[in-house]
Amino acid sequence: RLAVEPGRPRQAEDFVPLRPVQVVGRKHVMAAPQPQVPLEASLARVGRLVGYDQDAGRAQAGQALPLTLHWQATETTGDRLKVFVHLLDRQGNIVAQSDAEPGGGAYPTSSWLPGEYVADRHVLAIPPDAVAGPATLVVGLYDPASRQRVPWVGATGEVVGDQLPLPEPVDLGRLQ
């Protein structure tokens, strides 16, 4: 830190030169994706989930379950929201989860443009002791500071919940 006498005008030697800074933007995708499972699910003040890709409907205990969510922004928001993906067993207990900003932080919701599509990949680590049987994936967004979830809304704008169960069930199996 440079000390400058009070009342003395600043001069060129009072400043330290910095290297140039390059600001790099990201590509905004406006072409609609073709997800394996198309959906029409809307979130208040953010956008909608237009579908997802899931490697088969089977997951093995002790292995990873990849999932790509396809979002479309409908509004610009200054909020940096996180996406949650939970794998729930038949009793509703969380077996595995992923909580992250879209694209692992590369596509924060604060940078989404209206009409833009965002492919958001999540990988859930299924614990080796997970109980075999049917499971359900649920997704949503939340504000990490307040932990407040963004509501899902119906066609007429009514709130339908704070998490969305994905329609394709997951058959959670055990490694032999």
Side-chain angles (χ1 to χ4, degrees):
R1 192 150 120 162
L2 296 173
V4 177
E5 294 175 28
R8 180 176 71 83
R10 294 185 182 235
Q11 300 172 1
E13 60 269 10
D14 294 333
F15 296 92
V16 175
L18 300 176
R19 287 187 237 155
V21 176
Q22 181 179 6
V23 177
V24 178
R26 66 173 182 82
K27 182 179 178 183
H28 294 275
V29 176
M30 299 302 189
Q34 299 298 314
Q36 289 173 346
V37 181
L39 292 174
E40 282 295 324
S42 296
L43 282 159
R45 78 185 200 329
V46 178
R48 61 193 187 103
L49 183 62
V50 298
Y52 64 97
D53 302 328
Q54 179 189 340
D55 294 349
R58 185 161 178 77
Q60 292 289 334
Q63 295 185 345
L65 173 63
L67 175 75
T68 301
L69 303 171
H70 296 281
W71 303 101
Q72 183 187 28
T74 55
E75 298 181 33
T76 298
T77 176
D79 300 330
R80 286 188 75 145
L81 303 171
K82 281 193 172 181
V83 175
F84 69 87
V85 179
H86 295 164
L87 180 64
L88 306 178
D89 65 16
R90 68 182 97 187
Q91 286 79 34
N93 300 312
I94 296 175
V95 175
Q97 72 182 63
S98 169
D99 286 66
E101 282 190 287
Y107 308 115
T109 54
S110 59
S111 72
W112 289 8
L113 300 176
E116 174 182 16
Y117 292 92
V118 175
D120 178 27
R121 185 168 171 81
H122 294 263
V123 178
L124 286 78
I126 312 287
D129 61 349
V131 177
T136 303
L137 286 163
V138 296
V139 300
L141 282 96
Y142 68 95
D143 180 328
S146 69
R147 310 291 291 170
Q148 179 94 25
R149 289 184 175 182
V150 177
W152 292 93
V153 294
T156 59
E158 76 281 7
V159 173
V160 294
D162 66 358
Q163 65 183 17
L164 176 72
L166 297 182
E168 297 289 322
V170 175
D171 177 20
L172 187 55
R174 303 277 299 161
L175 290 175
Q176 304 301 348

